[in-house]
Amino acid sequence: MPRKESILVFSAHSDDFVLGAGGTIANYTKEGKKVTAIVFSYGEKSHPWLKEEVVQRMRAQETLEACTILKCSVLFFDLRELQFEEDFRTKNLGANLVDIITKEKPSKIFTHSLEDPHPDHKAVHTITLNLLKKIKKKPELYIYSIWNPVSFRTTYPALFVKISKTFSFKMQALKTFRSQKIHILYPVFLLLFRNFLAGIKLHTLFAEKFYRIK
Ligand SMILES: [Zn+2]
């Protein structure tokens, strides 16, 4: 049997990959491709009144439910929020991720945009670029947006993906993040608007937009 095409989606927090690329992930898995989300942080700071392990378990559970809906798999790392680059170094995750990428041989990697104002999102962007310097067989590299407005600056080629058929899976997957209602309220509104705007380009109802940067 030929090997399944593999795609990796890097995600600073447990909900970012769904917000940024959930519909596209569902499209790929529907086509028989293997998609793995790499989540760098459980986001344990969101509930300071709960023990960190409780938040981690809750987040992991929600993320696994979202992945069941999108039919992708997930790997968690436990970087502390706002300490990504330091923790990444001290925990020596670089070697770990280089192994994963070398083994998976992804055709595409999706990661955060450098224009995103969230420091953890920026950190994941930088980490991704540094990792790819150490990989021989380079995948195509795409960025997605969470907190930054749709970019007008970039001159990179855009990739529009029709997600009208999988948009409902994306919304269902987002609903699994019960612990983050307030956190995701704004992006959900923004993402509906964005997916709709991108959809107009393709004469379809909803689409996701990425930029290919490598
Ligand atoms: Zn995030």
Side-chain angles (χ1 to χ4, degrees):
M1 213 171 70
R3 201 172 172 278
K4 272 189 183 181
E5 183 178 339
S6 175
I7 291 150
L8 301 180
V9 185
F10 287 9
S11 182
H13 310 106
S14 57
D15 53 352
D16 291 326
F17 69 99
V18 183
L19 283 166
T24 301
I25 293 172
N27 281 357
Y28 286 145
T29 56
K30 224 172 155 187
E31 292 163 8
K33 294 170 186 163
K34 178 185 179 193
V35 180
T36 311
I38 311 276
V39 174
F40 285 80
S41 171
Y42 293 98
E44 66 284 345
K45 292 253 189 313
S46 62
H47 296 67
W49 61 92
L50 291 178
K51 273 198 165 161
E52 287 194 358
E53 309 90 79
V54 177
V55 178
Q56 290 195 350
R57 221 179 308 128
M58 196 163 73
R59 284 289 175 84
Q61 182 54 38
E62 292 173 350
T63 312
L64 287 173
E65 283 175 39
C67 286
T68 306
I69 293 165
L70 302 177
K71 299 192 166 50
C72 62
S73 40
V74 62
L75 283 172
F76 290 102
F77 294 113
D78 60 343
L79 303 187
R80 286 167 302 158
E81 284 174 283
L82 307 178
Q83 319 273 338
F84 271 33
E85 285 178 271
E86 191 196 327
D87 280 5
F88 191 80
R89 265 195 313 274
T90 52
K91 289 174 194 267
N92 198 22
L93 289 183
N96 207 334
L97 271 167
V98 166
D99 279 353
I100 292 169
I101 299 171
T102 308
K103 199 179 118 240
E104 282 299 321
K105 298 183 190 64
S107 59
K108 297 181 177 67
I109 291 182
F110 291 81
T111 192
H112 287 279
S113 164
L114 193 61
E115 286 179 58
D116 194 315
H118 195 302
D120 292 345
H121 296 182
K122 273 193 205 301
V124 168
H125 179 93
T126 308
I127 287 169
T128 313
L129 288 186
N130 287 337
L131 281 171
L132 288 188
K133 284 183 197 149
K134 295 175 191 143
I135 301 292
K136 269 198 218 98
K137 196 183 170 298
K138 310 271 186 217
E140 294 172 8
L141 183 61
Y142 295 89
I143 50 169
Y144 62 87
S145 303
I146 300 291
W147 291 104
N148 50 312
V150 177
S151 179
F152 297 107
R153 281 195 292 160
T154 180
T155 50
Y156 296 117
L159 166 71
F160 287 93
V161 180
K162 277 189 195 187
I163 58 162
S164 299
K165 289 203 176 109
T166 49
F167 190 75
S168 63
F169 293 105
K170 176 172 179 169
M171 292 313 285
Q172 267 182 57
L174 279 175
K175 281 191 198 138
T176 66
F177 297 99
R178 294 172 294 273
S179 69
Q180 296 179 77
K181 283 242 165 64
I182 295 164
H183 175 66
I184 66 173
L185 195 60
Y186 165 63
V188 166
F189 171 76
L190 185 71
L191 117 105
L192 277 171
F193 179 64
R194 246 187 215 159
N195 289 167
F196 179 72
L197 271 192
I200 290 173
K201 286 255 185 202
L202 301 185
H203 304 285
T204 187
L205 198 49
F206 293 112
E208 283 168 345
K209 184 184 186 183
F210 308 96
Y211 287 104
R212 181 170 175 187
I213 62 164
K214 270 187 193 299

